[in-house]
């Protein structure tokens, strides 16, 4: 993450992850050494994720040689590693190290068993073990737990379709931030003088706090002794909470913000030995809450078998299964039969969760797992019962570990699969890795994987997309940048992440709800008047600065160019205006031309004038319209929370924020007006010299109406007056005479906002402009990183969540390919920070009853085939004959083809469908909406499914 001698975070690489973990956690990771034993499929998953995240050093350990088997589980093992009998740690070392230049990766092949001296582990902050028997795990865990401070211990394993994770971070493990959520800020409406004092929030703003949390206060008028003090709260309602005794305080007047205070929390862990007897498990699937304990006991039985026979049970062997202690017969039988196998998607899912626990262990950020997690793919079992035991036996190829879990027939179905992957970002890369390990689309005759993504690879992608390397930057993710239209209904597997949160959803035609059945709530828009005049939070000032960027550097140049592409010359425009024509946009475009800066000093002067306009005159104008003591009709003050009065800013060249605004704004003006400038031009000396000679006009108040209504959207520009038009004529004449309306003068460069290129100055401008506005309104400023996230609408991302989500999706893919029944599918939501993982059954599709047992779902489409002389009446009769119900209304989009109550519509029954619809020459069909008469009078007509009407019979 950072070189040993420097703690500078490489933002280009880590920006998306910084938003998840924060800089303190990133710094701690950059100082941590981790030991990881067992480089099978699970080990390599964990190694990949924590190296991408950016720890300081990782030692990977293994004593086994690469086998053909590993090709289907470890994505970094290659055929020549097997031919050359390489150790698994040595074979994967180079590939893991290549993922992140900031991480030192070492490999070890030394023996690690009951007689090994394990004191060498003292150099590590976290030890992870996979593929290790429990007796040795206990020895290592006891050693780690006894250290001061304790070494964090994590154990993880996948046996067939069962996965387990165990964490022990010591007797007392302090977490500074349990959730990673932004501290909530609550605007206050009232605080009572009572015991306890009741704090009420402003309307429509629930506090979303919990009893026992702490808040601090600021900007309270009246009860000002609360400012800066911290109080534990008790929730009374969504809009109120109580604090301590406020009876002796001054009466509350107005304003104020309560800010949530994050307090550290201590977590207590027990050693593996104790936890084996009395486990604390996280329940992930509430439809089978007893399963974690049953699997826990079954895995103890598996360990006992290992100890007794010095091997794992043989694949598909009934006798070995009977040797294991019988707890839950089904679980033990299947665990024994496929314990040697490995289901790559389950490995990916557990690897993601386990890696997040490693990051928690070394940073103290987020709540750790206490202390066991069991995930399974038990839903796969029922369909495997019917398969013969030969299906699961090894065949000496790369799919043996998978075959042991799902049988050969399913393996072949995966190989024959034709998959379309939309998006080759972080999740897309992980999905491709899962596809490769599952053999998806590898059958040459039938299988195929098609990927599409038009975006270019940026450096920030390398932090979580392990298929990309530095030489791929600025290459297109996939060579297909057009999404093919998927005409046929196919299963859709959807997933997404945001920071430590992730979701997966299975959409199956005719079985589940469709993707459109539920939408995310719309993003809350900031009211126009809040942005323009009454910001109350950093988000408002950042959005204002982002809007200013768009307006000045994208929108204006775009309008300017479009105008001059429409008219051939300035002379032509002048003539047409003089002859009385009104050319749309001409006033603004001519104003822009007449004020066009033609050299660097003029760009700096323009930036200085903008400073005055935005941060001085704007405040003076608002205070002119609404003086500080203005009161509303009810007698309350106009300027009270959440409205903050602005304070005009006096320009000070020596203030770094003022200087930063001038420099970044001047550079952007120079860019859009194609004005050259040098390094020397940007020196403080040069800019000071330019500004000191500039005359700034005094503020003159105007009587413009200030919009205060929050429901009003942005208004249209005020029409141009005749005086303005006369001015435009004079300005254009002047420009033509001065030879300043040449072809070069009539074009500007449009800028497209780009958040990830630090050299373009876009975020510099937005940060400076936003923080000056924040200062003007006495709002907390935001650093460049936060500004970039909000202005660029960046979704925080980390490799751990991505790996987990893609693994869970690939598990569902196996069920889809196997043609599993509806009940087998699971949707998932998780938040690895808390941590919670919740599996739920998919939502069954709703059936709409029309009548007499006739019903349809959102997936249904009725079809009617016609011919050339087919009339509307024929169409209605055809629907009745085919589907058993007579339509009373026929609509095409917004066009009403047949509504009997409309005048003249009954006559339409005789018209042909061709005449009514008037299709284009090449159109073979039209989609119509039909409705049916209600069962009882007075009710609405019943809508039916869409009906596709073909103008002629299809040959096929």
């Amino acid at each position: 993450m950072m070189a040993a001698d420097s703690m500078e975070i490489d933002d280009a690489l880590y920006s998306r992850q910084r938003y998840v973990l924060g800089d303190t956690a990133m710094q701690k990771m950059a100082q941590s050494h981790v030991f990881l034993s067992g480089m099978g499929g699970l080990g390599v998953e964990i190694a990949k994720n924590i190296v991408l995240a950016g720890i300081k050093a990782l030692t990977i350990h293994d004593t086994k040689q690469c086998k053909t088997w590993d090709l289907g589980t470890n994505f970094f093992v290659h055929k020549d590693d097997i031919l050359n009998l390489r150790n698994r740690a040595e074979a994967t070392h180079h590939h893991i190290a290549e993922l992140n230049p900031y991480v030192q990766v070492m490999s070890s092949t030394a023996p690690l068993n009951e007689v090994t001296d394990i004191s060498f582990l003292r150099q590590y902050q976290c030890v992870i073990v996979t593929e290790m028997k429990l007796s040795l795990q206990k020895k290592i865990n006891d050693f780690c737990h006894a250290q001061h401070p304790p070494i964090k211990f994590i154990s993880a394993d996948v046996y067939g379709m069962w996965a387990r994770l165990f964490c022990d971070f010591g007797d007392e493990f302090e977490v500074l931030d349990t959730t990673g959520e932004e501290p909530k800020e609550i605007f206050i409406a009232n605080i009572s003088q009572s015991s306890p004092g009741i704090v009420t929030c402003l309307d429509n703003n629930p506090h979303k706090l919990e009893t026992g949390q702490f808040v601090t206060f600021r900007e309270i008028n009246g009860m000002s002794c609360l400012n800066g003090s911290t109080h534990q709260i008790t929730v009374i309602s969504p809009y109120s909470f109580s604090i301590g005794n406020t009876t002796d305080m001054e009466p509350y007047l107005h304003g104020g913000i309560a800010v949530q205070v994050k307090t550290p929390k201590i977590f207590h862990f027990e050693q593996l030995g104790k936890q084996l007897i009395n486990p604390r498990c996280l329940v992930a699937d509430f439809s089978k809450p007893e399963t974690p304990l049953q699997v826990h006991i079954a895995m103890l039985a598996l360990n006992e078998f290992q100890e007794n026979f010095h091997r794992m049970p043989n694949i598909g062997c009934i006798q070995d299964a009977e040797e294991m202690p019988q707890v839950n017969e089904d679980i033990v039988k299947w665990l024994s039969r496929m314990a040697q196998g490995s289901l790559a998607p389950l490995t990916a899912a557990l690897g993601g969760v386990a890696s997040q626990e490693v990051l928690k262990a070394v940073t103290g950020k987020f709540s750790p797992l206490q202390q066991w997690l069991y995930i399974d793919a038990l839903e796969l079992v029922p369909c495997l019962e019917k398969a013969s035991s030969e299906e699961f036996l090894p065949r000496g190829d790369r799919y043996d570990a998978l075959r042991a879990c799902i049988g050969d027939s399913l393996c072949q179905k995966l190989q024959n699969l034709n998959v379309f992957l939309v998006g080759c970002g972080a999740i897309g890369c992980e999905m491709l890795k899962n596809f490769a390990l599952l053999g998806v689309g590898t059958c040459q005759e039938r299988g195929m994987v098609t990927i599409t993504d038009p975006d270019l690879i940026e450096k920030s992608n390398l932090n979580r997309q392990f298929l990309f390397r530095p030489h791929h930057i600025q290459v297109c993710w996939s060579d297909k940048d057009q999404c093919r239209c998927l005409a046929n209904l196919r299963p859709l597997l959807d997933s997404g992440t945001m920071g430590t949160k992730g979701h997966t959803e299975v959409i199956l035609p005719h079985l589940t709800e469709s993707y459109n059945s539920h939408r995310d709530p719309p993003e809350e828009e900031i009211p126009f008047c809040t942005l323009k005049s009454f910001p109350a939070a950093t988000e408002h000032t950042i959005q204002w600065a982002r809007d200013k960027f768009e307006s000045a550097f994208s929108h204006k140049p775009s309008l300017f160019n479009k105008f001059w592409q429409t008219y051939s010359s300035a002379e032509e425009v002048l003539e047409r205006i003089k002859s009385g024509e009104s050319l749309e946009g001409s006033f603004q475009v001519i104003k822009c031309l007449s004020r066009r800066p033609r050299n660097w000093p003029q760009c700096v002067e323009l930036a200085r004038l903008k400073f005055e306009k935005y941060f001085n005159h704007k405040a003076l104008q608002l205070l002119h319209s609404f003086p500080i003591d203005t009161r509303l009709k009810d007698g309350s003050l106009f300027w009270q929370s959440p409205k903050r009065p602005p304070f005009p800013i006096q320009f000070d060249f020596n203030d770094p924020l003022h200087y930063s605004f001038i420099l970044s704004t001047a550079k952007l003006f120079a860019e859009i007006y194609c004005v050259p400038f040098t390094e020397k031009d940007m020196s403080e000396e040069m800019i000071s010299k330019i500004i000191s000679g500039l005359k700034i006009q005094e503020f003159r108040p105007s009587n413009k109406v200030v919009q205060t209504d929050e429901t009003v959207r942005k208004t249209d520009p005020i029409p141009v007056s005749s005086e303005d038009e006369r001015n435009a004529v004079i300005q254009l004449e002047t420009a033509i005479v001065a030879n300043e309306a040449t072809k070069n003068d009539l074009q500007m460069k449009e800028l497209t906002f780009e958040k990830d290129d630090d050299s373009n100055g876009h975020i510099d401008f937005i940060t400076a402009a936003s923080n000056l506005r924040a200062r003007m309104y006495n709002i907390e400023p935001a650093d460049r990183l936060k500004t970039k996230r909000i202005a660029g609408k960046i979704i925080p991302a980390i490799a751990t969540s991505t790996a987990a989500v893609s693994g869970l999706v690939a598990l569902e893919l196996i069920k889809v390919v196997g043609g599993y029944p509806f009940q087998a599918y699971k949707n998932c939501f998780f938040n690895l920070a808390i941590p919670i993982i919740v599996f739920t059954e998919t939502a069954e599709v709703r059936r709409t009853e029309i009548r007499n047992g006739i019903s349809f779902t959102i997936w249904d489409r009725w079809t009617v085939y016609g011919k050339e002389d087919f009339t509307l009446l024929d169409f209605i009769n055809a629907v009745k004959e085919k589907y058993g119900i007579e339509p009373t209304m026929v609509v095409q989009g917004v066009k009403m083809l047949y509504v009997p109550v409309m005048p003249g519509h009954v006559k339409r029954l005789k018209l042909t469908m061709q005449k009514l619809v008037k299709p284009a020459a090449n159109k073979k069909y039209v989609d119509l909406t039909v409705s049916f008469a209600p069962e009882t009078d007075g009710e609405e007509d019943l809508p039916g499914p869409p009906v596709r009407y073909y103008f002629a019979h299809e040959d096929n």
Side-chain angles (χ1 to χ4, degrees):
M1 172 192 289
M2 314 144 197
D5 56 349
S6 149
M7 295 308 282
E8 184 70 33
I9 294 175
D10 182 347
D11 186 59
L13 178 65
Y14 288 112
S15 70
R16 305 302 188 266
Q17 181 178 292
R18 282 175 90 172
Y19 298 123
V20 183
L21 296 176
D23 287 3
T24 309
M26 296 278 288
Q27 306 273 12
K28 284 182 181 171
M29 278 200 313
Q31 297 162 28
S32 56
H33 292 241
V34 175
F35 179 82
L36 168 60
S37 178
M39 290 311 291
L42 183 57
V44 78
E45 273 287 345
I46 295 170
K48 162 187 61 94
N49 296 335
I50 61 178
V51 166
L52 287 173
I55 56 172
K56 181 174 188 177
L58 171 69
T59 302
I60 52 173
H61 168 267
D62 204 291
T63 54
K64 294 179 186 165
Q65 283 180 345
C66 297
K67 295 191 166 61
T68 303
W69 178 280
D70 291 304
L71 294 174
T73 58
N74 185 321
F75 46 83
F76 281 154
V77 169
H78 296 273
K79 279 183 180 169
D80 64 323
D81 297 323
I82 295 150
L83 294 171
N84 295 315
L85 308 176
R86 284 198 187 103
N87 169 285
R88 293 194 302 181
E90 289 179 335
T92 53
H93 179 206
H94 161 71
H95 301 289
I96 292 166
E98 201 182 31
L99 292 171
N100 192 336
Y102 294 112
V103 180
Q104 189 184 353
V105 180
M106 293 149 288
S107 57
S108 160
T109 59
L112 184 55
N113 52 42
E114 268 82 357
V115 296
T116 308
D117 175 6
I118 55 173
S119 59
F120 75 92
L121 292 173
R122 283 201 184 98
Q123 63 186 295
Y124 300 104
Q125 281 76 53
C126 181
V127 167
I128 309 143
V129 298
T130 71
E131 301 185 19
M132 183 183 283
K133 59 183 187 177
L134 276 178
S135 52
L136 183 53
Q137 285 192 34
K138 279 198 262 187
K139 177 184 172 179
I140 291 174
N141 176 229
D142 288 344
F143 172 83
C144 291
H145 195 98
Q147 302 308 305
H148 298 284
I151 298 166
K152 318 302 179 283
F153 174 85
I154 294 172
S155 153
D157 276 299
V158 174
Y159 299 109
M161 56 177 68
W162 284 268
R164 101 176 145 199
L165 177 62
F166 171 79
C167 296
D168 169 16
F169 295 174
D171 288 332
E172 294 198 342
F173 178 71
E174 185 180 55
V175 174
L176 297 173
D177 181 353
T178 55
T179 66
E181 302 293 332
E182 288 265 317
K184 297 176 183 73
E185 293 201 352
I186 299 113
F187 287 102
I188 296 167
N190 188 49
I191 306 173
S192 67
Q193 265 182 312
S194 53
S195 180
I198 310 290
V199 180
T200 312
C201 318
L202 280 182
D203 300 347
N204 310 327
N205 287 301
H207 53 71
K208 295 178 184 168
L209 295 170
E210 293 167 22
T211 294
Q213 290 182 327
F214 291 84
V215 296
T216 180
F217 294 96
R218 65 168 203 255
E219 299 176 46
I220 292 173
N221 291 281
M223 212 177 264
S224 53
C225 61
L226 279 178
N227 288 331
S229 64
T230 302
H231 301 261
Q232 194 166 15
I233 68 130
T234 304
V235 171
I236 294 171
S237 79
Y239 297 93
S240 63
F241 56 85
S242 67
I243 54 173
N245 189 344
T246 56
T247 40
D248 297 337
M249 297 181 188
E250 294 279 306
Y252 171 84
L253 292 175
H254 65 85
I257 295 171
V259 185
Q260 182 192 355
V261 178
K262 297 229 166 182
T263 49
K265 185 176 174 183
I266 304 290
F267 289 82
H268 306 282
F269 290 84
E270 289 181 345
Q271 283 134 287
L272 182 59
K274 281 186 185 172
Q275 276 289 307
L276 283 171
I277 301 157
N278 189 11
R280 276 193 287 181
C281 297
L282 178 73
V283 177
D285 191 335
F286 291 99
S287 69
K288 43 182 189 185
E290 69 296 333
T291 303
L293 196 56
Q294 290 173 348
V295 177
H296 180 79
I297 297 165
M299 284 196 180
L300 291 182
L302 177 66
N303 185 66
E304 204 173 307
F305 182 99
Q306 269 180 287
E307 295 281 0
N308 292 342
F309 295 94
H310 306 290
R311 65 174 174 85
M312 291 283 267
N314 286 321
I315 292 167
C317 177
I318 309 286
Q319 291 83 353
D320 277 0
E322 285 166 358
E323 288 287 344
M324 282 173 61
Q326 300 299 304
V327 267
N328 176 312
E329 208 172 306
D330 251 11
I331 291 178
V332 169
K333 179 180 80 174
W334 284 100
L335 179 59
S336 168
R337 285 182 63 176
M338 57 177 71
Q340 285 193 51
S342 178
L343 204 51
L346 191 57
T347 303
L350 189 78
V353 181
S355 307
Q356 189 70 57
E357 295 307 311
V358 177
L359 302 186
K360 292 174 188 178
V362 298
T363 63
K365 174 97 173 188
F366 306 138
S367 304
L369 170 70
Q370 293 213 294
Q371 286 184 256
W372 296 91
L373 170 68
Y374 286 96
I375 311 177
D376 62 67
L378 267 173
E379 289 73 27
L380 289 171
V381 166
C383 289
L384 300 176
E385 299 269 17
K386 306 176 194 80
S388 69
S389 54
E390 282 72 45
E391 279 259 324
F392 301 90
L393 296 178
R395 305 194 176 189
D397 65 13
R398 65 165 62 230
Y399 300 117
D400 277 348
L402 175 64
R403 192 176 283 114
C405 299
I406 63 170
D408 192 60
S409 302
L410 247 179
C411 286
Q412 285 182 23
K413 283 181 179 175
L414 285 164
Q415 288 163 28
N416 292 337
L417 197 58
N418 193 339
V419 178
F420 186 55
L421 178 65
V422 181
C424 200
I427 296 175
C429 279
E430 290 285 336
M431 286 309 307
L432 288 171
K433 175 251 309 177
N434 293 333
F435 289 170
L437 294 175
L438 291 172
V440 167
T442 53
C443 173
Q444 286 192 324
E445 295 80 53
R446 299 175 63 186
M448 185 164 70
V449 175
T450 306
I451 60 176
T452 179
D453 197 316
D455 285 354
L456 295 181
I457 295 161
E458 302 290 352
K459 190 175 180 182
S460 65
N461 298 123
L462 305 188
N463 170 238
R464 61 198 185 285
Q465 278 144 257
F466 77 110
L467 299 184
F468 301 146
R469 299 291 175 271
H471 62 268
H472 292 128
I473 291 173
Q474 290 303 307
V475 174
C476 192
W477 278 350
S478 79
D479 56 1
K480 299 257 193 300
D481 57 37
Q482 288 292 312
C483 242
R484 297 189 310 186
C485 187
L486 302 176
N488 298 329
L489 294 180
R490 293 281 181 264
L492 170 71
L493 300 173
D494 176 50
S495 60
T497 69
M498 191 169 107
T500 54
K501 302 182 183 88
H503 78 270
T504 66
E505 186 179 10
V506 183
I507 289 123
L508 302 166
H510 305 291
L511 295 178
T512 68
E513 292 283 25
S514 86
Y515 188 70
N516 290 329
S517 301
H518 44 83
R519 285 254 173 256
D520 289 339
E523 250 187 82
E524 272 187 43
E525 264 194 27
I526 304 168
F528 174 65
C529 72
T530 302
L531 280 181
K532 192 166 169 57
S533 306
F534 307 112
T538 319
E539 285 75 9
H540 302 159
T541 66
I542 293 171
Q543 187 57 53
W544 172 87
R546 175 85 168 78
D547 291 350
K548 282 282 174 263
F549 178 95
E550 287 300 327
S551 159
F553 309 118
S554 295
H555 188 60
K556 269 187 189 158
S558 166
L559 291 179
F560 189 86
N561 291 342
K562 278 188 188 127
F563 184 89
W564 293 115
Q565 280 153 13
T566 310
Y567 305 104
S568 59
S569 68
E571 287 78 5
E572 181 205 344
V573 168
L574 184 63
E575 236 168 80
R576 289 172 77 158
I577 295 175
K578 278 184 165 175
S579 70
E581 262 191 80
S582 182
L583 307 184
E584 198 188 338
S586 60
F587 170 67
Q588 287 81 2
V589 165
I590 293 165
K591 188 165 107 178
C592 193
L593 176 68
S594 71
R595 294 181 179 182
R596 182 179 185 128
R598 290 166 190 283
N599 52 44
W600 173 249
Q602 286 176 357
C603 292
V604 175
E605 287 172 3
L606 191 52
R608 173 67 187 89
L609 294 173
K610 290 287 179 201
F611 181 100
E612 203 67 16
K613 178 185 172 184
Y614 294 158
F615 311 118
N616 183 287
H617 291 186
K618 172 72 183 176
L620 291 169
Q621 179 60 44
L622 266 174
L623 294 172
H624 167 78
S625 303
F626 304 103
I628 284 288
D629 53 5
T630 303
R631 291 191 179 268
L632 299 169
K633 283 180 185 142
D634 65 1
S636 62
L637 281 170
F638 176 85
W639 292 111
Q640 63 167 301
S641 184
K643 282 193 175 72
R644 295 160 169 270
F647 299 95
I649 296 177
Q650 300 301 323
F651 180 74
D652 176 3
F653 184 81
N654 298 315
D655 186 313
L657 189 57
H658 297 204
Y659 179 75
S660 172
F661 175 82
I662 298 294
L663 181 60
S664 58
T665 309
K667 278 160 76 172
L668 293 176
F669 276 134
E671 196 175 350
I672 61 168
Y673 289 114
C674 308
V675 170
F677 58 94
T678 63
E679 279 294 318
K680 191 183 169 197
D681 285 335
M682 293 188 289
S683 67
E684 284 190 31
E685 193 186 345
M686 175 65 85
I687 289 174
S688 168
K689 195 173 157 189
I690 296 166
I691 286 176
S692 58
L694 183 65
K695 263 192 106 52
I696 302 291
Q697 278 196 329
E698 290 260 322
F699 167 71
R700 286 202 195 93
S702 85
N703 293 319
K704 270 198 306 194
V705 175
V706 177
Q707 183 55 259
T708 59
D709 182 351
E710 292 199 2
T711 59
V712 172
R713 292 180 164 268
K714 192 169 182 177
T715 46
D716 291 329
I718 302 155
V720 177
S721 67
S722 51
E723 190 188 345
D724 285 338
E725 280 182 346
R726 280 196 299 277
N727 283 340
V729 169
I730 297 163
Q731 286 171 345
L732 191 53
E733 278 178 333
T734 310
I736 291 167
V737 169
N739 200 26
E740 288 183 351
T742 64
K743 200 141 196 70
N744 278 348
D745 294 319
L746 303 183
Q747 57 192 24
M748 285 169 75
K749 182 180 172 185
E750 295 169 46
L751 300 187
T752 304
F753 175 68
E754 172 46 62
K755 58 189 176 291
D756 282 320
D757 176 0
D758 283 346
S759 65
N760 64 17
H762 298 185
I763 295 292
D764 294 340
F765 167 81
I766 289 170
T767 306
S770 164
N771 282 342
L772 277 164
R773 189 165 173 85
R775 190 181 286 182
M776 178 169 115
Y777 280 96
N778 199 16
I779 293 169
E780 286 280 304
D783 62 13
R784 193 178 191 281
L785 193 68
K786 181 176 178 178
T787 305
K788 179 172 164 175
R789 173 173 65 78
I790 295 170
K793 294 185 166 57
I794 290 173
I795 296 172
I798 189 167
T800 49
S801 313
T802 308
V805 113
S806 66
L808 294 171
V809 167
L811 269 183
E812 299 306 309
L813 179 71
I814 295 172
K815 298 174 192 174
V816 169
V817 173
Y820 275 71
F822 172 77
Q823 299 75 11
Y825 297 93
K826 295 281 182 180
N827 291 339
C828 182
F829 169 78
F830 63 70
N831 184 348
L832 300 183
I834 302 182
I836 58 160
I837 300 172
V838 182
F839 289 99
T840 55
E841 283 160 7
T842 51
E844 198 161 2
V845 68
R846 274 192 303 239
R847 191 158 279 285
T848 305
E849 296 288 333
I850 304 174
R851 75 168 74 107
N852 311 339
I854 299 165
S855 64
F856 68 94
T857 73
I858 43 170
W859 295 103
D860 289 322
R861 184 171 63 216
W862 293 356
T863 48
V864 171
Y865 290 95
K867 48 185 193 287
E868 200 146 335
D869 57 355
F870 219 68
T871 64
L872 177 59
L873 184 60
D874 290 332
F875 170 79
I876 288 170
N877 288 336
V879 172
K880 183 181 177 182
E881 193 178 318
K882 194 169 179 184
Y883 297 104
I885 187 160
E886 185 180 341
T888 51
M889 221 160 82
V890 183
V891 178
Q892 178 197 356
V894 294
K895 187 168 142 196
M896 291 186 277
L897 297 187
Y898 176 63
V899 182
V901 295
M902 300 283 282
H905 270 226
V906 177
K907 290 178 187 168
R908 292 185 174 188
L909 290 168
K910 296 180 197 149
L911 294 178
T912 64
M913 292 296 280
Q914 291 272 13
K915 194 161 188 178
L916 266 175
V917 173
K918 301 186 183 74
N922 59 348
K923 198 90 167 99
K924 291 184 176 177
Y925 62 81
V926 63
D927 285 323
L928 304 171
T929 307
V930 296
S931 299
F932 306 97
E935 291 191 70
T936 51
D937 284 348
E939 286 186 10
E940 294 270 313
D941 277 13
L942 303 163
V947 179
R948 181 161 286 183
Y949 171 71
Y950 286 87
F951 296 106
H953 267 280
E954 294 274 275
D955 296 336
N956 57 356

